[in-house]
Amino acid sequence: MEVVIVPDATAGGELIAETIASLLSRKPDALLGVATGSTPLPIYQALAAKVRSGAVDASRARVCQLDEYVGLPVGHPESYRSVVLREVIEPLGLSEASFMGPDGAAEDVQAACEAYDKALAEAGGVDLQLLGIGTDGHIGFNEPCSSLASRTRIKTLTEQTRVDNARFFDGDTEQVPRHVITQGIGTILESRHPILLATGEGKADAVALTVEGPLASVVPASALQLHPHATVVVDEAAASKLKLADYFRATYASKPAWQGL
Ligand code: GLP
């Protein structure tokens, strides 16, 4: 995988927004897989600014969700559908029709998971998949020991993830759903270009294990080592435990500009 160390979260957001812009100029109806959480917000803000200034035409872009809570009432402000509508679809001026995600309120959750995997394939597959990383190394909601071949399915959150996400639920861990739907690791690996952004010291251990540790389901993000074109963008704080940081810096500094990410 390629590791790019940027000075801060804003620079990471700008770099990835540039990459999305370049994709949309080549493929205006690209399918963009978006992640939730705090980390990707600078990407969405930078991309929305480019759309507003006319530098990017995102009008034909299609957007798909990575994961979703199970059991939140439809329209709950912290359902990931609501978050993506608020943080991505509206700022980019897209319509809800260009957006798809798994149905976390479905009665038959298993059928909803299978339907979502099928819908992604029928849409031609994900062109660029944005990812954050959990402090335990999860991507999407693939918690430690998720199968590296997994498909979209229901998962149970670890206590750590519920504590981490309680900040979106009035700081109350009990309000964080226990179950979620997530694209599987196998599903994520089918995207043409996964890009993981990690910022802040709290992600430094997970990043080091993802990039420099062995491929292991106990660190789900390490599965990106299997992808022929995976990019990990980290700020200085999240890169602070990488032994090969200087090598990654030197490599990126001498990369031909035409290659992009
Ligand atoms: C949740 C999401 C992940 C996200 C993670 C980290 O668990 N399901 O997709 O990467 O949070 O969130 P943050 O970026 O806020 O640290």
Side-chain angles (χ1 to χ4, degrees):
M1 61 178 78
E2 178 177 32
V3 180
V4 180
I5 302 174
V6 292
D8 52 34
T10 309
E14 183 59 37
L15 177 66
I16 297 172
E18 274 298 331
T19 304
I20 298 172
S22 152
L23 170 65
L24 290 173
S25 69
R26 294 191 307 278
K27 186 174 181 182
D29 64 345
L31 180 56
L32 305 174
V34 295
T36 50
S38 313
T39 310
L41 296 179
I43 306 172
Y44 307 141
Q45 285 152 9
L47 189 59
K50 289 183 196 303
V51 168
R52 281 196 304 273
S53 74
V56 178
D57 178 4
S59 58
R60 292 178 56 202
R62 297 170 299 148
V63 173
C64 64
Q65 231 171 297
L66 180 61
D67 47 11
E68 182 57 281
Y69 290 112
V70 167
L72 288 182
V74 175
H76 187 289
E78 293 309 328
S79 76
Y80 281 175
R81 182 167 186 88
S82 299
V83 172
V84 174
L85 285 171
R86 197 163 63 229
E87 305 291 356
V88 184
I89 301 296
E90 286 166 20
L92 294 185
L94 297 174
S95 76
E96 228 177 309
S98 58
F99 170 43
M100 61 177 167
D103 182 0
E107 273 195 17
D108 186 342
V109 176
Q110 183 57 33
C113 294
E114 285 166 22
Y116 189 52
D117 255 1
K118 199 163 164 240
L120 290 174
E122 282 171 2
V126 178
D127 290 295
L128 190 156
Q129 178 63 58
L130 298 174
L131 298 166
I133 188 168
T135 51
D136 62 4
H138 72 232
I139 47 175
F141 267 136
N142 292 283
E143 294 285 31
C145 298
S146 286
S147 158
L148 298 181
S150 49
R151 312 301 306 173
T152 300
R153 69 213 184 290
I154 188 167
K155 288 289 289 180
T156 304
L157 294 181
T158 62
E159 194 53 22
Q160 179 64 55
T161 298
R162 294 182 69 230
V163 169
D164 286 348
N165 288 2
R167 67 189 194 281
F168 298 111
F169 292 85
D170 307 323
D172 179 6
T173 307
E174 275 311 301
Q175 285 184 43
V176 182
R178 288 191 157 70
H179 294 109
V180 292
I181 292 176
T182 181
Q183 281 191 34
I185 294 177
T187 317
I188 292 169
L189 291 179
E190 280 170 9
S191 66
R192 294 183 185 90
H193 185 191
I195 303 181
L196 186 151
L197 176 63
T199 53
E201 209 184 333
K203 301 294 173 70
D205 285 317
V207 165
L209 289 167
T210 295
V211 174
E212 296 175 345
L215 170 66
S217 67
V218 75
V219 183
S222 69
L224 294 176
Q225 295 174 17
L226 291 169
H227 197 285
H229 184 197
T231 307
V232 174
V233 179
V234 282
D235 69 355
E236 290 289 347
S240 59
K241 296 194 175 164
L242 288 173
K243 295 192 187 73
L244 291 169
D246 286 343
Y247 169 67
F248 297 137
R249 279 193 194 91
T251 304
Y252 187 64
S254 61
K255 186 177 185 181
W258 58 264
Q259 273 189 328
L261 281 188

